């Protein structure tokens, strides 16, 4: 890759107005990149705030399934960070055909068009859920994939597609993120740590379904740093590689206890039975060993940030806004 300060270094971020993208794009601009964002903007068109008028930012409202649009915007891009998808299992199961079309069926076309347009590095956001339920203490990138759901199966299939397209001049990197937590300008209140914190702050009560399921997490600012580092690294370190990206593996019970400690001892914890057996944990030692990345923020940091934001009067008045809840928003807009 070119130097991050080379003004011709342009990155396309698909899904760039989403939860992670809304934090990533300003960071890329601050690092000196030119950034193109391709997004449907279902969750609001004002997520970039003060950087919206940065001359190095190009916002494109559109669908990643539109090949003509991709042909128009990919030329001139040095790298792609592909975040766009119907995210997580519940959202995918709301409309499996829609999920398949966005998460899988258009992927090969996107990769081919990127390669043909001169993109040199393609970074794909897969998911740590592709491992399924593992009993090994250290779930590393070398273990076989055993996805349990349609969402995770298509993530795994896209990994295979991308690796198959790798070649001279076209570098591929796959990231398997843990569940992201913390504040973003495109806030989500339907992710485990964020849900628990919102309920603790607003309701002074947390309801846990099951509790022994493990959920690996990573702070959103650390997730941003992962993508930044993968853009900066020389080809020899990252081309063709797969990296887990997480920090702490905790059960839902443990996460709830952390939230209660940070928010207040008056928060009431209630437990209910659950049929959700999904339980994931990962090791991110390869990321540390290969590129020297270590997370700098904790789950507690995410809880503290969310607590502050959620306590503000403007947030108290808008907590029912569907933009904070993916499934609710998808139902409203009738995405097809």
């Amino acid at each position: 890759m070119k130097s991050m300060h080379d003004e011709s270094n342009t990155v396309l971020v698909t899904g760039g107005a989403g939860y992670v993208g809304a934090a990533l794009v300003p960071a890329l601009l601050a690092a000196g990149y030119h950034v193109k964002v391709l997004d449907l903007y279902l969750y609001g068109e004002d997520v970039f705030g003060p950087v919206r008028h940065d001359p190095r930012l190009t916002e494109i409202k559109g669908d990643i399934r539109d090949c003509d649009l991709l042909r128009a915007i990919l030329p001139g891009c040095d790298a792609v960070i592909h975040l766009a998808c119907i995210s997580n299992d519940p959202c995918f199961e709301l409309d499996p055909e829609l999920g398949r079309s966005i998460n899988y069926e258009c992927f090969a076309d996107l990769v081919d068009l990127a390669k043909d347009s001169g993109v040199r590095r393609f970074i794909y956001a897969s998911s740590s859920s592709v491992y399924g339920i593992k009993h090994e203490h250290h779930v590393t990138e070398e273990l076989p994939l055993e996805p349990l759901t349609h969402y995770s199966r298509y993530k795994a299939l896209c990994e295979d597609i991308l690796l198959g397209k790798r070649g001279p001049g076209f570098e591929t990197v796959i990231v398997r993120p843990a569940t992201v937590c913390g504040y973003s300008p495109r806030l989500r209140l339907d992710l485990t740590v964020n849900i628990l914190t919102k309920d603790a702050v607003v309701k002074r009560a947390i309801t846990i379904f099951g509790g022994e399921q493990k959920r690996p997490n990573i702070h959103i600012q650390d997730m941003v740093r992962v993508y930044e580092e993968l853009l900066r690294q020389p080809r020899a370190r990252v081309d063709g590689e797969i990296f887990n990206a997480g920090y702490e593996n905790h059960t839902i019970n443990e996460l709830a206890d952390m939230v209660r400690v940070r928010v207040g001892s008056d928060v009431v914890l209630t437990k209910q039975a659950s049929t959700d057996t999904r339980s994931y944990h990962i090791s991110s030692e390869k990321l540390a060993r290969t590129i020297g990345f270590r997370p700098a923020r904790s789950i507690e940091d995410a809880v503290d940030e969310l607590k502050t934001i959620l306590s503000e009067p403007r947030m108290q008045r808008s907590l029912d806004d569907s933009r904070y809840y993916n499934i609710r928003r998808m139902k409203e807009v009738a995405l097809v």
Side-chain angles (χ1 to χ4, degrees):
M1 294 296 291
K2 300 174 184 177
S3 165
M4 68 174 178
H5 299 299
D6 188 325
E7 62 179 286
S8 67
N9 200 353
T10 299
V11 182
L12 172 65
V13 184
T14 71
Y19 177 54
V20 173
L24 173 62
V25 168
L28 294 178
L29 293 169
Y33 292 96
H34 286 233
V35 183
K36 294 182 182 180
V37 171
L38 174 60
D39 202 293
L40 287 170
Y41 289 85
L42 298 181
Y43 303 95
E45 300 192 15
D46 56 352
V47 296
F48 295 122
V51 303
R52 180 145 221 182
H53 300 293
D54 191 313
R56 293 166 301 147
L57 174 63
T58 303
E59 296 187 71
I60 303 141
K61 187 174 183 179
D63 195 315
I64 59 167
R65 296 171 291 181
D66 184 341
C67 288
D68 290 336
L69 177 60
L70 293 174
R71 288 188 189 94
I73 66 176
L74 278 164
C77 294
D78 300 289
V80 171
I81 300 177
H82 182 45
L83 305 180
C85 70
I86 300 297
S87 60
N88 74 26
D89 298 316
C91 293
F92 193 100
E93 294 306 324
L94 180 67
D95 187 338
E97 288 304 312
L98 174 69
R100 178 185 170 93
S101 73
I102 291 176
N103 289 19
Y104 175 64
E105 290 177 346
C106 67
F107 184 73
D109 286 339
L110 170 62
V111 176
D112 284 338
L113 289 168
K115 189 174 183 179
D116 292 344
S117 298
V119 168
R120 289 178 294 122
R121 183 167 296 179
F122 193 109
I123 301 172
Y124 173 53
S126 183
S127 168
S128 60
S129 67
V130 295
Y131 294 110
I133 298 174
K134 298 292 189 188
H135 300 291
E136 290 87 348
H137 182 64
H138 294 290
V139 177
T140 66
E141 294 83 352
E142 290 73 32
L143 290 178
L145 306 188
E146 299 174 303
L148 300 173
T149 65
H150 293 301
Y151 168 77
S152 55
R153 288 188 194 107
Y154 289 128
K155 284 290 188 182
L157 287 170
C158 286
E159 291 187 13
D160 291 339
I161 290 171
L162 184 60
L163 290 172
K165 304 289 186 181
R166 176 180 173 237
F170 187 67
E171 305 159 16
T172 66
V173 188
I174 293 167
V175 185
R176 294 173 180 162
T179 300
V180 182
C181 60
Y183 173 75
S184 164
R186 196 259 111 167
L187 185 58
R188 285 189 65 179
L189 296 176
D190 56 359
L191 298 165
T192 305
V193 170
N194 297 9
I195 294 170
L196 294 171
T197 305
K198 187 259 294 183
D199 287 349
V201 172
V202 177
K203 300 178 182 178
R204 313 307 294 182
I206 296 173
T207 300
I208 302 167
F209 295 92
E212 291 305 314
Q213 311 99 309
K214 278 193 173 180
R215 292 290 184 270
N217 278 269
I218 185 169
H219 191 287
I220 192 166
Q221 291 302 325
D222 282 325
M223 194 68 247
V224 165
R225 288 176 54 231
V226 168
Y227 291 120
E228 287 187 277
E229 284 298 326
L230 291 175
L231 286 174
R232 292 188 183 114
Q233 292 296 317
R235 177 191 59 77
R237 285 187 187 168
V238 299
D239 183 21
E241 295 292 344
I242 300 171
F243 297 103
N244 292 339
Y247 182 19
E248 300 168 272
N249 295 285
H250 292 289
T251 66
I252 294 175
N253 283 333
E254 291 168 340
L255 293 173
D257 287 338
M258 289 181 187
V259 170
R260 187 170 183 265
V261 166
R262 307 303 291 189
V263 175
S265 59
D266 63 311
V267 174
V268 177
L269 269 62
T270 303
K271 296 186 180 183
Q272 295 186 12
S274 175
T275 57
D276 182 0
T277 60
R278 295 172 302 140
S279 185
Y280 310 121
H281 59 287
I282 58 172
S283 167
S284 299
E285 281 305 306
K286 180 181 176 181
L287 197 62
R289 185 175 65 250
T290 306
I291 67 172
F293 179 85
R294 295 278 184 186
R297 293 173 173 86
S298 66
I299 292 172
E300 287 90 347
D301 291 330
V303 173
D304 288 344
E305 294 160 8
L306 289 165
K307 176 184 173 182
T308 299
I309 294 294
L310 291 166
S311 298
E312 294 179 0
R314 65 178 181 87
M315 279 299 302
Q316 293 280 332
R317 293 190 296 268
S318 66
L319 285 173
D320 286 333
D321 192 319
S322 64
R323 289 177 299 174
Y324 304 143
Y325 309 92
N326 280 15
I327 288 180
R328 193 185 306 174
R329 188 65 170 171
M330 287 172 63
K331 289 179 177 178
E332 281 186 359
V333 300
L335 182 63
V336 294

